[in-house]
Amino acid sequence: MHSTTERFSQYIHDVKCAVDKAETTCDIKKIEDLYLNKNGLLINEMKNISKLSPEDRPAFGAEVNKTKAIISDILSVKRDSLARIELDKKLESERVDITLPGIKTDSGNYHILEQTFRQVKRTLNNMGFEYAESPELEEFKYNFSMLNYPPNHPAMDEQDTFYIDNNYLLRTQCTSIQGRIFEERKPPLKIFTLGKTFRNEAVDRTHSHTFHQIDAFLIDKDISLANLKYTLSTFVKNVIGDDVKVRFRPDFFPFVEPGVDYAISSPRFFNGKWLELGGAGLIHPNILRSFGINPDVYSGFAFGLGLERIPMLIHGIDDLRQFLENDMRFLEQFPS
Amino acid sequence: MKLAYNWFKSLLDITDSPEALGDILTMLGFELEEILEDSKGIILDVNGMANRGDAFCLLGLARELRAKKGYSATELYKSLEELYEKKLSTDTTNNKFKIDVKAEGCSRYCYRIIDNIPKVDTPDWMVNILEQSGIRPISLIVDITNFVLLELGTPLHAFDYHKLSSDEITVRYAKNGEKLKLLNNEEVECREEDILIATPLRPLALAGVMGGLDSEVDEDTTCILLEAAHFNPSEIRNTRTRLGVSTESSYRFERWVDPNAINMAVERFTQLLMEITSNAPIVVETNDYYPNTWKTRNIRLDAHRVRTLLGMDVPTDKMEEYWRALGCIISRSGDSFEVTAPSWRNDIVESADLIEDIGRLHGYENIPEHPPVTTMIPGGLTDKYQLEDNIKECLVCSGFQQIISHTLTASSKLEKESIKGVQVRNPHSPELHQLRTSLLPMLASAAMKNGVKNLKLFEIGKVFSVTSTGYAEGAQLGILLHGDSTPVDWVNQNKIKSNFFHLKGVLDSVFSALNIDVKLTGEIRTDHRFHPYQSALVIIDEKEAGVFGKIHPSLAKELSLDTDTYIAEITLDGLENSREDIRDYKILSRNPSIRRDLALVCDKSLAYQDIERCIRKSAGDLLEKVWMFDKYEGDKLEEGKHSLGITIQLRKQGSNLNDEEANKVRDSILSELSNFGISLRS
């Protein structure tokens, strides 16, 4: 009995020595094969159990199993630590140069103006304005007469407006939508539009015969200039930035009275200088009256602005011509 | 309008700096353009407001400043107020000279004959003021007329009396073709809508615009006929724009000159002339034709409404104060007002105009920000907008760059021949004479600009055409595809050039995303822009909605485009109505599907579409999907034949399909296909 215990202790000792020398999980596997697997030393020990007297057998069996468990544990601990090292080595061998360029997906891009359209639409939609559309090739009456322009107003000159014939022209302002809406619908109205507008102008860094405008109006009972100021202020804060302030100053447009020229300022642009953004005001009572809307009950505000001004300010674009040139070197500067 | 800063001080006791004065004017609506300085002093360059004819002069702006800031008036200011009230002598019994006003566009005509004018130089102070305003001094008489124009806004004209050789002046419309040589030495040919100042024998001046050369005052002039008048703004404007002659006078007449202030200008001229020449001249006679005195309207309004529309809490007493400061006459009962504007304010025609003045004087900068309290109405976007937005999104996600291009353009070979373009009557330049009829020329020019390589471009925008009833404006989608179909990079070196099927696939994905049932299989053949055998129609709801395919090689060559350029032109109008709004949910089957691959050898002339149709027909209810996975042509096949690899996917609802059943379906398909001479590849 004594010699059996010693023998088993010797097994454990031998295993410990072998394990200390083991360098790979393969080495561990060899030790495992030698002791624990088929034809292993401990398995062979078990085969000898039949040679013992029946009363000695349980103790011997227990001794074998205990030794197996101890060896198994020793192997397992070492195997795990070697496996970790081996995995680390393997992973290291898989090292890539992470500074190599990434494989780009085939991504497209919205035009910078479209990005602005979308932002403007989202903002005005969220403020409860409904989007509507009206023609670019517009009737004279919607562009001028219905907007309270007196006959022979300078804006009607051929030097200012593109004409197709006496009744049709290319709209000079998106405000032309007002008459089209007023003919069809009654207040309350809260509408905006945006799109191309045209002026007979030479093209340079700050002028173009074709540009885009936003136009919005709201008609309900008791609408005021203070409401206009709030709305414009909220609009520019959303579209251009929270730090943007709005200033009103009197100005004249045939379709509003009182008329407003509004400017914005932000420390980010031109040292906080006031920059004119567009025209606005309360819709002229003549216009309301001409569509059967009683100006003593209803009032409304309208505002318009050049859409290109927004990306020009935000991105510091200094050449209006770029917007419709479709130069990829320009468009790709503004990925969406 | 340039006015010397110190000149303002002749009318008002101004203590504010030029910058502060500029700010005040800006916030009153008269925007300060810039502050200039020359050797004689500081000049304010101020923009007028188009509807404020009264404020294109020193007095007009001074009135505004006085109303806003309460500056006290100088003696000169007070004396001008008196001159405004002073009637010109209308006792014409002893007059030798006659006036006859025949033109309706002239509502007031005054003259004053002044004799014995000595030869005296214009005093330096007047020369300085004129020069600072950008007006060249000429001679004492002309200089005083210009000075009065700048000071009071009323244009005056002096004729050399002796050159008139007549004792009668007629204000009449011109005869067609009547000629007149103007002061600028240019001869104009008049039409019958132009107003002329004439003697019975000849025209003297183009009314409101410029005097004639032959009655000009010169250094020998000693006697003048001074004219002051009111002309209809739009008539002066017509004449001025047609003849292309613009003057300080026409500028002001076009914007309206106060007819009630004309006497003031005549008196002011006389006063200045007398002062400068030590009372030497003699006023011979004066006449004033003014049959209907101009009156502004009485406007009723309520203080409460003023506060409501401005959104600003202006006390009622303040309102009264502001209107009075502007020269209005007020009758008030509590919160109700009846306001009569002064004669120089022809822009005030209704309550909104008076409300604006309260806003201006109380200060637009004091308008608070109040959220509008309105009826709840839904915002939202139109179906049309949603459609276009979805297409844009789909194309951008498929790797396309959106472009936005000009509407005004020249004709192009890439336009459909049958469409007639809308022409601009007054194009800015000859190459921008037409409204685009198609987006393809825009895409082609963008491709050219960017070097025609590996491009995926699209545009959505308006196109225009002439129709039998007028003009049509519609939304179009244009696509241009060229070069590598997927990005080639250091990992993927496998270049696959985009072809017809790439474009077809793009369109398929777009319409599938829109949930629009589309057929991309109709042959075109007759569109000169396309390769006749690599192009197709886009059919939606059995109507032609567009065309796509390979560009015609001859056209590609002509436009310097690569022949491997693929283009699509699709009309978007009304497509929003072709969208199936709701996709019905199909229950997910628990039973597995079975696939069978068929390698079919068939005539190249046989359309895939027909083969697929045949498969669908003969497969029966078990067929779930059919798709093509391979196409092979080569030596191993008989000439004129190719092999198509087609997968059929079968599934049975409710129970599992076995191989035997699947094979049965396959066999019945093959037997049906054999009628077309199609066999399995061995």
Side-chain angles (χ1 to χ4, degrees):
Chain A
M1 242 354 247
H2 187 74
S3 67
T4 308
T5 311
E6 275 180 359
R7 199 166 69 244
F8 284 2
S9 297
Q10 187 60 45
Y11 285 156
I12 291 168
H13 177 78
D14 291 349
V15 165
K16 278 182 176 162
C17 289
V19 160
D20 280 346
K21 284 178 196 147
E23 286 176 344
T24 66
T25 46
C26 273
D27 296 342
I28 301 294
K29 178 79 170 73
K30 280 177 197 152
I31 302 167
E32 193 173 25
D33 286 345
L34 185 59
Y35 290 87
L36 301 179
N37 289 350
K38 204 166 74 179
N39 298 323
L41 290 168
L42 283 163
I43 305 300
N44 288 339
E45 287 282 353
M46 213 53 171
K47 285 175 189 158
N48 295 331
I49 200 163
S50 56
K51 294 174 189 161
L52 298 176
S53 58
E55 58 272 29
D56 288 340
R57 285 177 192 174
F60 180 78
E63 192 76 10
V64 173
N65 284 336
K66 189 183 149 200
T67 310
K68 271 167 77 179
I70 291 168
I71 290 174
S72 179
D73 275 356
I74 294 168
L75 291 174
S76 161
V77 167
K78 183 71 176 186
R79 190 192 297 111
D80 284 356
S81 93
L82 286 175
R84 258 197 308 280
I85 292 163
E86 280 168 21
L87 180 62
D88 283 349
K89 269 190 193 149
K90 181 173 179 286
L91 293 182
E92 196 182 343
S93 75
E94 289 167 8
R95 175 198 291 270
V96 296
D97 177 1
I98 55 166
T99 67
L100 281 170
I103 311 294
K104 290 201 176 103
T105 54
D106 196 1
S107 60
N109 189 22
Y110 287 107
H111 190 287
I112 172 74
L113 287 178
E114 180 79 29
Q115 295 175 37
T116 315
F117 295 159
R118 292 166 77 87
Q119 200 190 353
V120 165
K121 280 172 179 161
R122 201 165 43 237
T123 302
L124 287 172
N125 249 201
N126 288 348
M127 291 167 75
F129 285 85
E130 172 192 339
Y131 175 75
E133 221 179 78
S134 69
E136 293 174 18
L137 172 51
E138 185 55 283
E139 289 180 54
F140 183 90
K141 59 179 181 179
Y142 291 109
N143 197 78
F144 289 125
S145 326
M146 284 182 179
L147 294 177
N148 198 40
Y149 276 79
N152 292 319
H153 189 277
M156 298 170 184
D157 276 1
E158 298 234 343
Q159 294 98 299
D160 292 288
T161 299
F162 289 117
Y163 284 92
I164 306 303
D165 57 32
N166 288 338
N167 297 322
Y168 282 88
L169 45 73
L170 292 180
R171 68 175 173 200
T172 62
Q173 52 194 0
C174 283
T175 319
S176 56
I177 197 170
Q178 282 188 9
R180 290 190 170 268
I181 299 285
F182 296 159
E183 277 181 344
E184 301 290 326
R185 298 166 61 177
K186 292 285 160 224
L189 291 167
K190 207 173 174 187
I191 308 265
F192 80 104
T193 191
L194 52 79
K196 271 184 183 159
T197 48
F198 306 85
R199 305 264 169 96
N200 196 346
E201 278 196 349
V203 176
D204 63 27
R205 292 179 88 83
T206 54
H207 297 88
S208 176
H209 50 71
T210 306
F211 55 100
H212 294 80
Q213 263 190 357
I214 306 161
D215 208 275
F217 64 89
L218 162 60
I219 302 183
D220 205 339
K221 288 172 183 157
D222 299 340
I223 294 302
S224 70
L225 280 184
N227 297 150
L228 170 64
K229 206 171 193 179
Y230 172 86
T231 304
L232 268 174
S233 175
T234 309
F235 174 73
V236 296
K237 278 184 166 64
N238 269 283
V239 174
I240 304 177
D242 280 338
D243 59 349
V244 176
K245 281 185 294 205
V246 174
R247 183 189 79 174
F248 276 10
R249 109 185 146 68
D251 203 353
F252 171 72
F253 305 97
F255 39 91
V256 285
E257 186 73 26
V260 170
D261 163 296
Y262 63 97
I264 59 162
S265 115
S266 149
R268 283 179 289 149
F269 314 128
F270 305 100
N271 296 320
K273 194 183 146 198
W274 287 109
L275 306 165
E276 278 175 32
L277 203 60
L282 295 187
I283 296 174
H284 201 288
N286 283 349
I287 298 177
L288 297 180
R289 240 178 256 125
S290 69
F291 290 99
I293 302 167
N294 183 355
D296 296 328
V297 178
Y298 287 101
S299 55
F301 65 66
F303 65 88
L305 69 147
L307 191 107
E308 282 84 352
R309 282 308 294 268
I310 298 170
M312 285 179 100
L313 272 178
I314 293 175
H315 303 291
I317 299 164
D318 63 354
D319 190 343
L320 185 64
R321 290 171 293 198
Q322 286 296 349
F323 289 109
L324 299 181
E325 291 286 307
N326 297 317
D327 187 328
M328 295 305 138
R329 292 169 305 167
F330 174 74
L331 296 178
E332 283 169 0
Q333 286 183 37
F334 310 104
S336 54
Chain B
M1 180 175 39
K2 295 190 182 78
L3 297 170
Y5 167 66
N6 279 332
W7 198 19
F8 281 95
K9 294 184 173 178
S10 74
L11 295 181
L12 301 173
D13 288 331
I14 289 169
T15 45
D16 287 298
S17 67
E19 291 76 16
L21 204 63
D23 283 347
I24 297 163
L25 286 168
T26 295
M27 288 310 288
L28 279 166
F30 305 95
E31 191 192 15
L32 178 77
E33 186 75 21
E34 57 181 333
I35 294 180
L36 306 161
E37 190 164 4
D38 68 7
S39 58
K40 284 147 201 149
I42 293 166
I43 302 156
L44 302 182
D45 188 358
V46 180
N47 290 331
M49 275 202 279
N51 64 332
R52 290 293 303 274
D54 65 299
F56 286 98
C57 63
L58 185 74
L59 177 63
L61 293 178
R63 281 175 179 142
E64 289 282 321
L65 287 168
R66 185 160 141 78
K68 173 84 182 178
K69 294 291 284 183
Y71 299 120
S72 49
T74 60
E75 288 307 314
L76 176 60
Y77 189 100
K78 289 177 198 159
S79 76
L80 290 174
E81 282 181 323
E82 283 165 21
L83 290 183
Y84 171 81
E85 299 293 344
K86 189 178 165 190
K87 285 208 164 45
L88 292 175
S89 151
T90 47
D91 177 16
T92 57
T93 41
N94 296 323
N95 280 13
K96 293 186 207 122
F97 206 81
K98 273 189 284 197
I99 43 176
D100 182 10
V101 178
K102 288 180 174 149
E104 275 174 38
C106 174
S107 64
R108 186 173 188 182
Y109 194 90
C110 303
Y111 73 79
R112 173 167 283 176
I113 298 169
I114 306 174
D115 201 357
N116 207 28
I117 302 172
K119 226 185 238 179
V120 173
D121 285 342
T122 308
D124 287 348
W125 65 266
M126 189 178 277
V127 167
N128 289 347
I129 281 173
L130 291 175
E131 282 180 346
Q132 287 189 301
S133 294
I135 290 179
R136 187 170 53 92
I138 294 167
S139 67
L140 180 64
I141 296 164
V142 176
D143 291 349
I144 301 177
T145 61
N146 283 333
F147 181 87
V148 173
L149 172 132
L150 290 172
E151 187 181 53
L152 308 180
T154 310
L156 296 171
H157 183 70
F159 298 96
D160 184 319
Y161 181 77
H162 297 301
K163 290 181 183 171
L164 299 181
S165 30
S166 169
D167 55 5
E168 187 179 343
I169 272 187
T170 311
V171 182
R172 62 169 170 84
Y173 288 108
K175 295 180 206 95
N176 266 338
E178 198 169 355
K179 288 181 178 145
L180 171 65
K181 198 164 204 181
L182 298 177
L183 280 172
N184 63 5
N185 225 346
E186 273 176 33
E187 190 172 70
V188 290
E189 194 173 313
C190 300
R191 283 206 221 151
E192 55 193 11
E193 63 264 30
D194 301 327
I195 305 173
L196 289 180
I197 314 299
T199 69
L201 293 174
R202 68 182 213 277
L204 294 174
L206 191 59
V209 181
M210 202 184 272
L213 192 63
D214 67 3
S215 55
E216 183 187 25
V217 293
D218 57 38
E219 52 191 19
D220 300 324
T221 301
T222 53
C223 183
I224 59 163
L225 181 131
L226 181 72
E227 164 200 287
H230 176 85
F231 301 108
N232 181 339
S234 61
E235 292 182 38
I236 300 302
R237 201 185 127 62
N238 270 338
T239 299
R240 191 273 295 167
T241 50
R242 202 192 72 249
L243 296 175
V245 200
S246 184
T247 59
E248 292 284 342
S249 295
S250 67
Y251 189 82
R252 283 167 180 79
F253 279 122
E254 271 177 50
R255 283 161 181 77
W256 197 81
V257 166
D258 178 7
N260 291 4
I262 275 160
N263 45 312
M264 170 168 67
V266 172
E267 294 294 3
R268 176 67 173 148
F269 177 93
T270 314
Q271 188 187 62
L272 284 164
L273 181 68
M274 293 296 179
E275 271 172 28
I276 293 165
T277 59
S278 317
N279 293 316
I282 298 160
V283 173
V284 181
E285 62 178 60
T286 305
N287 202 344
D288 186 4
Y289 167 84
Y290 194 21
N292 302 304
T293 305
W294 151 257
K295 281 194 187 74
T296 54
R297 280 182 231 181
N298 294 348
I299 298 162
R300 288 172 188 279
L301 79 171
D302 180 84
H304 178 69
R305 190 70 180 152
V306 179
R307 284 187 282 269
T308 301
L309 291 183
L310 291 175
M312 194 159 46
D313 202 15
V314 186
T316 310
D317 288 347
K318 266 276 178 218
M319 290 181 199
E320 184 176 345
E321 203 179 289
Y322 290 141
W323 283 320
R324 284 195 193 281
L326 288 167
C328 297
I329 294 161
I330 309 283
S331 140
R332 174 182 167 188
S333 154
D335 265 5
S336 299
F337 286 96
E338 196 175 304
V339 182
T340 311
S343 70
W344 54 87
R345 292 295 303 275
N346 76 318
D347 63 298
I348 298 181
V349 292
E350 64 173 299
S351 57
D353 306 310
L354 289 167
I355 293 170
E356 177 174 72
D357 276 347
I358 297 298
R360 288 190 316 119
L361 291 191
H362 203 66
Y364 273 31
E365 65 276 21
N366 295 320
I367 296 172
E369 293 181 10
H370 287 155
V373 178
T374 60
T375 315
M376 176 73 183
I377 29 179
L381 300 162
T382 57
D383 290 347
K384 189 169 154 41
Y385 172 75
Q386 296 280 22
L387 175 96
E388 291 180 12
D389 198 48
N390 291 155
I391 297 173
K392 287 170 193 167
E393 197 168 1
C394 190
L395 286 169
V396 165
C397 292
S398 313
F400 282 79
Q401 166 71 51
Q402 182 191 17
I403 66 164
I404 298 179
S405 46
H406 281 288
T407 301
L408 289 164
T409 178
S411 319
S412 158
K413 289 262 165 63
L414 269 170
E415 295 174 300
K416 209 171 186 169
E417 273 172 338
S418 55
I419 290 180
K420 193 167 173 234
V422 180
Q423 306 299 315
V424 176
R425 187 170 75 187
N426 55 329
H428 189 80
S429 56
E431 71 276 12
L432 303 175
H433 64 88
Q434 179 178 289
L435 306 190
R436 62 190 185 187
T437 65
S438 165
L439 298 176
L440 295 180
M442 314 295 141
L443 288 158
S445 92
M448 293 283 299
K449 187 167 294 166
N450 291 288
V452 205
K453 51 179 184 188
N454 300 334
L455 292 166
K456 289 179 159 186
L457 304 176
F458 79 98
E459 178 163 13
I460 288 182
K462 295 292 175 62
V463 292
F464 306 82
S465 60
V466 175
T467 65
S468 54
T469 51
Y471 308 114
E473 173 173 344
Q476 193 179 75
L477 163 66
I479 300 178
L480 182 144
L481 178 62
H482 171 267
D484 301 334
S485 68
T486 48
V488 172
D489 48 59
W490 60 273
V491 174
N492 171 30
Q493 300 286 320
N494 193 11
K495 283 193 185 188
I496 298 173
K497 280 204 153 188
S498 294
N499 60 33
F500 175 84
F501 300 102
H502 287 110
L503 180 56
K504 183 172 175 177
V506 167
L507 295 179
D508 235 341
S509 324
V510 168
F511 287 109
S512 156
L514 295 172
N515 209 7
I516 289 178
D517 192 20
V518 67
K519 287 193 184 71
L520 301 171
T521 51
E523 288 179 351
I524 316 175
R525 297 286 157 80
T526 53
D527 194 324
H528 76 281
R529 302 173 296 173
F530 290 90
H531 186 303
Y533 299 100
Q534 289 192 30
S535 58
L537 293 174
V538 177
I539 309 272
I540 294 165
D541 287 341
E542 281 156 31
K543 275 186 297 208
E544 188 180 323
V547 282
F548 72 98
K550 190 173 189 171
I551 192 169
H552 196 286
S554 319
L555 189 55
K557 200 176 160 195
E558 209 172 317
L559 298 168
S560 310
L561 286 171
D562 200 303
T563 48
D564 280 325
T565 303
Y566 297 85
I567 50 179
E569 180 192 69
I570 296 161
T571 301
L572 299 181
D573 292 308
L575 283 198
E576 65 272 18
N577 304 320
S578 300
R579 297 179 81 165
E580 299 283 335
D581 284 341
I582 294 162
R583 292 176 207 255
D584 286 328
Y585 163 70
K586 290 190 194 78
I587 295 166
L588 304 184
S589 174
R590 291 166 175 275
N591 308 102
S593 63
I594 294 185
R595 289 179 184 177
R596 289 290 179 267
D597 289 345
L598 313 171
L600 302 171
V601 178
C602 55
D603 274 354
K604 284 183 182 172
S605 60
L606 215 52
Y608 170 78
Q609 169 176 262
D610 296 331
I611 298 171
E612 193 188 305
R613 195 177 295 141
C614 177
I615 292 172
R616 286 185 184 281
K617 222 171 91 188
S618 48
D621 296 342
L622 297 178
L623 185 74
E624 193 177 53
K625 266 187 191 170
V626 185
W627 69 91
M628 191 175 109
F629 64 91
D630 183 40
K631 180 166 169 283
Y632 171 79
E633 293 174 45
D635 313 342
K636 290 176 192 161
L637 295 172
E638 218 179 296
E639 208 180 298
K641 300 215 175 214
H642 59 186
S643 158
L644 303 177
I646 295 172
T647 301
I648 55 170
Q649 182 169 306
L650 307 169
R651 199 193 298 269
K652 202 167 169 183
Q653 289 293 345
S655 68
N656 289 356
L657 199 61
N658 60 39
D659 277 346
E660 216 171 297
E661 287 170 294
N663 291 342
K664 222 171 124 189
V665 173
R666 183 193 58 193
D667 293 344
S668 76
I669 290 171
L670 290 174
S671 125
E672 197 65 38
L673 287 174
S674 67
N675 296 332
F676 292 91
I678 301 172
S679 57
L680 272 184
R681 196 170 153 196
S682 47

